[in-house]
Amino acid sequence: MLTLARKALPSKYSSFRVFGRGLGLPPAESIDQLPRPASQSLSFSSYPGDEDDDDVGRPKTALVLGSSGALGSAVSHYLSQTVGMKVLGADVRELPGELNDSTLGDLTTRLVQGVDFYLQDTKSGLDAIVCASGGWQGDPAPPLEGSKDDIEKGALAYAETIQDMLRMNLDPVLATGYLAQQYMGPNGLLVVIGATAAILPTPGMLGYGVSKAGAHHFVQTMGAMTGQGLESKSIRRQGRKTRQYFPNLDTLHVVGILPSTIDTPSNRKADPEANFDQWTKPLDIAKEIGSWVQKTPLRPHSGSLVKVYTNRDRSGAGFELVR
Amino acid sequence: MLTLARKALPSKYSSFRVFGRGLGLPPAESIDQLPRPASQSLSFSSYPGDEDDDDVGRPKTALVLGSSGALGSAVSHYLSQTVGMKVLGADVRELPGELNDSTLGDLTTRLVQGVDFYLQDTKSGLDAIVCASGGWQGDPAPPLEGSKDDIEKGALAYAETIQDMLRMNLDPVLATGYLAQQYMGPNGLLVVIGATAAILPTPGMLGYGVSKAGAHHFVQTMGAMTGQGLESKSIRRQGRKTRQYFPNLDTLHVVGILPSTIDTPSNRKADPEANFDQWTKPLDIAKEIGSWVQKTPLRPHSGSLVKVYTNRDRSGAGFELVR
């Protein structure tokens, strides 16, 4: 299996790692003997589905981007253990000491290679894609009355924060568009994690806001490309033109989930004085996605943005359409 | 002068070119003798202002990004010849045969270097920044029933179109945020060209739509960082926190202009059968910007998005607030 992987992947992705549990795959393996390490490695892991459920035919399969994160792992485990899906988890990992100079093209290509490897040439093999990758950085403090050098350094800090946010929050989302087109089966579900904050202006976190606003536009546009949207006649006509290539998009639902603060270890560390009861639990989001996967009529219309409200009495979360 | 420029610019920007008319600068010069050409060159040009106007003190100065384009050159000439400003024009030019692998950090740094060079260490030297850079690409046709190779090639085509759109339509906009913070004088005006299309979903042009939606969010967020916005109390509080570093932002207006189709030679070539009377003339946009530069009370509130309506009787254009 490892040999197959090594052959299947072009050498420039020399640190591409494949690991899995279940599905007959070997445990984590790293193809790192090749000479030129890439700036990022993309690792895949799989969670066994409930092979004994009553479904006829193959078990349902989900791809979770960012499956190692607090939200992504909650979603992966819930879909695997409670919903009984096979889950393919993908993570972009920074290699220590390497610059992050990978492009959207690299990311999309590597995801295609990984999905293709795991689905073993089964087209229409995914029933759900959840993009739970992401992160937060605020604007850096600007140089004060700086020298020319300080101002140039400030320019780089300003730009790199924005670029990081776009890479972390927008690039994985954009990549899912191609994956959905190529690998989504009938009645598919594509879920993107946006941000309630980015519905309004985001002073103090410009890059974060722009990246999430871009993700929201992606949801609305991909949604309009499916047959399940609610847009105007002319936009639906434009969408139909696009999906003539992809009949699987006819029945696809694309939905954005917009949390405020998610209750994760890193958010608790960053704001230890906060009232964690007001933060959204990853499991509540996982449960909602699970119900959408299982019951098509429960899904919001395609292209919709859904805000998460956290019930302060610890009784879970509510989901309300905001756009 | 050339020696100064060569000294001031790090060698990795070996194809940085500086050229100017007026302002006592030499004609176009190319610093291309250095060994490693960058993927893009950023060229600066200047238009002489009306030095004989009645204004007390220095003439007003504008920076126009994308000053060689159809819209950018109309704006540059109008601000220079009719409004009487000094205009510094900046253009990102692709070097033939080079891959576009420059980053937002490169672009922002090079713009800072160029502005710094032209303003000659005068802080608060800009009265207006207009970002007229941009372009349009639709989604590429997807691979049909492709082999694994075709699907991978398709992934790259899909991703590179989006990446190009983000680079052309969003990166220059993001860079202006830092320029405005560092170099804008009192009562400044920052104008970004958005797109009416991107207010709604954009099936068939996903990358274009995402890049313009990002530009719109930038306008709203930068607007909320100034003292001239109309946001809620909590967002204005957040904005105040940011602009404590930049008193010049107190009186800055950030406005997005959202055209539909602009009447440019390349758009005419792409759609020769269209009724060009319905397309917005670059001069009409230039005139509106000119009136905002000259008369502060005519400016829309900071953070606003303004749609351009083209009068079909060839009597010019109207501008209406959409957000």
Side-chain angles (χ1 to χ4, degrees):
Chain A
M1 201 57 107
L2 188 59
T3 314
L4 175 64
R6 197 181 285 168
K7 266 192 189 159
L9 300 169
S11 65
K12 68 175 287 198
Y13 304 123
S14 53
S15 60
F16 197 108
R17 289 178 296 173
V18 179
F19 54 99
R21 286 182 289 135
L23 290 180
L25 286 156
E29 291 287 355
S30 181
I31 308 168
D32 54 6
Q33 299 89 333
L34 298 168
R36 188 176 158 275
S39 61
Q40 295 183 326
S41 73
L42 192 68
S43 63
F44 282 87
S45 44
S46 67
Y47 302 82
D50 180 0
E51 308 273 356
D52 302 325
D53 66 11
D54 292 336
D55 276 2
V56 184
R58 66 177 175 81
K60 291 195 166 187
T61 303
L63 170 69
V64 177
L65 271 63
S67 65
S68 298
L71 177 60
S73 66
V75 171
S76 298
H77 284 97
Y78 188 84
L79 293 182
S80 160
Q81 285 159 30
T82 305
V83 179
M85 303 180 88
K86 284 189 179 168
V87 176
L88 176 58
D91 286 280
V92 176
R93 295 175 195 278
E94 307 285 327
L95 293 185
E98 295 278 341
L99 275 173
N100 179 351
D101 61 359
S102 78
T103 63
L104 179 58
D106 294 337
L107 179 67
T108 312
T109 308
R110 279 183 283 170
L111 281 167
V112 161
Q113 290 166 336
V115 170
D116 195 88
F117 178 84
Y118 269 86
L119 296 184
Q120 291 165 334
D121 299 319
T122 315
K123 294 271 279 187
S124 305
L126 292 177
D127 301 288
I129 301 175
V130 180
C131 186
S133 295
W136 185 89
Q137 282 178 50
D139 301 339
L144 295 171
E145 306 188 59
S147 62
K148 191 164 172 298
D149 258 15
D150 284 345
I151 292 176
E152 274 186 34
K153 271 181 209 154
L156 213 56
Y158 166 92
E160 284 179 350
T161 300
I162 298 175
Q163 192 92 64
D164 282 351
M165 288 291 90
L166 291 170
R167 279 193 178 128
M168 292 173 77
N169 294 323
L170 184 57
D171 282 6
V173 169
L174 295 168
T176 62
Y178 190 77
L179 297 172
Q181 290 171 2
Q182 292 296 329
Y183 297 105
M184 193 67 86
N187 294 310
L189 176 70
L190 168 55
V191 177
V192 165
I193 305 301
T196 290
I199 293 176
L200 296 170
T202 53
M205 45 182 189
L206 175 65
Y208 179 78
V210 167
S211 67
K212 289 292 190 182
H216 295 174
H217 189 84
F218 169 89
V219 168
Q220 296 176 302
T221 293
M222 276 297 295
M225 287 190 200
T226 70
Q228 307 295 320
L230 292 175
E231 294 301 330
S232 69
K233 210 170 165 182
S234 70
I235 286 182
R236 277 186 287 136
R237 194 180 310 122
Q238 199 61 42
R240 251 197 319 277
K241 211 184 289 176
T242 309
R243 74 176 181 276
Q244 62 181 330
Y245 301 113
F246 307 111
N248 56 337
L249 296 188
D250 283 346
T251 54
L252 175 68
H253 281 81
V254 185
V255 184
I257 293 182
L258 281 52
S260 298
T261 309
I262 302 179
D263 189 3
T264 65
S266 60
N267 281 340
R268 284 192 181 215
K269 204 173 156 190
D271 192 3
E273 303 297 312
N275 179 357
F276 305 143
D277 286 349
Q278 296 182 11
W279 290 0
T280 301
K281 311 302 165 213
L283 182 59
D284 288 330
I285 293 176
K287 280 181 181 170
E288 187 72 12
I289 294 172
S291 73
W292 295 345
V293 168
Q294 292 178 289
K295 295 181 182 145
T296 315
L298 289 185
R299 298 176 184 177
H301 71 269
S302 195
S304 58
L305 302 178
V306 175
K307 186 171 169 171
V308 187
Y309 292 93
T310 305
N311 302 330
R312 301 201 176 185
D313 60 0
R314 304 191 190 188
S315 64
F319 293 78
E320 191 175 291
L321 202 66
V322 288
R323 200 171 285 174
Chain B
M1 201 56 107
L2 189 58
T3 315
L4 176 61
R6 197 181 287 166
K7 266 191 190 160
L9 300 170
S11 65
K12 69 177 287 199
Y13 304 123
S14 52
S15 60
F16 197 108
R17 290 179 297 171
V18 179
F19 54 98
R21 288 183 287 135
L23 291 181
L25 286 158
E29 292 284 359
S30 181
I31 308 167
D32 53 9
Q33 298 90 333
L34 297 168
R36 187 175 157 276
S39 61
Q40 297 181 325
S41 72
L42 193 69
S43 63
F44 282 88
S45 45
S46 68
Y47 302 81
D50 179 2
E51 308 273 358
D52 302 324
D53 66 10
D54 292 337
D55 277 1
V56 185
R58 66 176 177 82
K60 289 191 166 187
T61 302
L63 170 69
V64 177
L65 270 63
S67 65
S68 297
L71 178 60
S73 65
V75 171
S76 298
H77 284 97
Y78 187 84
L79 294 182
S80 159
Q81 285 158 30
T82 306
V83 179
M85 302 179 90
K86 283 187 180 171
V87 176
L88 176 58
D91 286 279
V92 176
R93 295 173 194 278
E94 305 285 326
L95 294 185
E98 295 279 342
L99 275 173
N100 179 351
D101 61 356
S102 78
T103 64
L104 179 58
D106 293 337
L107 179 67
T108 311
T109 309
R110 280 183 284 171
L111 280 167
V112 161
Q113 290 166 336
V115 170
D116 197 89
F117 178 83
Y118 269 86
L119 296 183
Q120 292 167 335
D121 299 321
T122 315
K123 295 271 280 184
S124 304
L126 292 176
D127 301 287
I129 301 175
V130 180
C131 185
S133 293
W136 185 88
Q137 281 178 54
D139 300 339
L144 295 171
E145 305 187 60
S147 63
K148 190 164 175 294
D149 259 16
D150 284 346
I151 292 176
E152 274 187 33
K153 272 181 206 153
L156 213 56
Y158 167 92
E160 285 180 350
T161 299
I162 298 175
Q163 192 93 66
D164 282 352
M165 287 292 88
L166 291 170
R167 278 191 178 129
M168 290 173 77
N169 294 323
L170 184 57
D171 282 5
V173 168
L174 295 168
T176 62
Y178 190 77
L179 297 172
Q181 290 172 0
Q182 292 297 328
Y183 297 105
M184 193 66 87
N187 295 309
L189 174 70
L190 168 55
V191 176
V192 166
I193 305 300
T196 291
I199 294 176
L200 296 170
T202 53
M205 46 182 190
L206 175 65
Y208 179 80
V210 168
S211 67
K212 288 294 189 180
H216 296 173
H217 189 86
F218 169 90
V219 168
Q220 295 176 302
T221 294
M222 276 297 296
M225 288 190 200
T226 70
Q228 306 295 317
L230 292 176
E231 295 301 331
S232 69
K233 208 169 166 181
S234 70
I235 287 183
R236 278 187 286 136
R237 194 181 311 122
Q238 201 59 41
R240 251 197 319 277
K241 212 184 287 177
T242 308
R243 75 176 180 277
Q244 64 183 331
Y245 299 114
F246 307 111
N248 55 337
L249 296 188
D250 282 346
T251 54
L252 175 68
H253 280 81
V254 184
V255 183
I257 292 182
L258 281 51
S260 300
T261 310
I262 302 179
D263 189 3
T264 65
S266 61
N267 281 340
R268 286 191 180 215
K269 205 173 154 188
D271 192 2
E273 304 297 314
N275 179 359
F276 304 142
D277 286 349
Q278 295 182 11
W279 290 0
T280 302
K281 311 301 165 214
L283 181 59
D284 288 332
I285 294 177
K287 280 179 181 170
E288 188 71 13
I289 295 173
S291 75
W292 295 345
V293 169
Q294 291 178 291
K295 293 179 183 149
T296 315
L298 290 185
R299 298 177 185 176
H301 70 268
S302 196
S304 58
L305 302 178
V306 175
K307 186 172 170 172
V308 187
Y309 291 93
T310 304
N311 302 330
R312 299 197 177 188
D313 60 358
R314 306 191 188 189
S315 64
F319 293 77
E320 190 174 292
L321 202 66
V322 289
R323 202 171 285 172

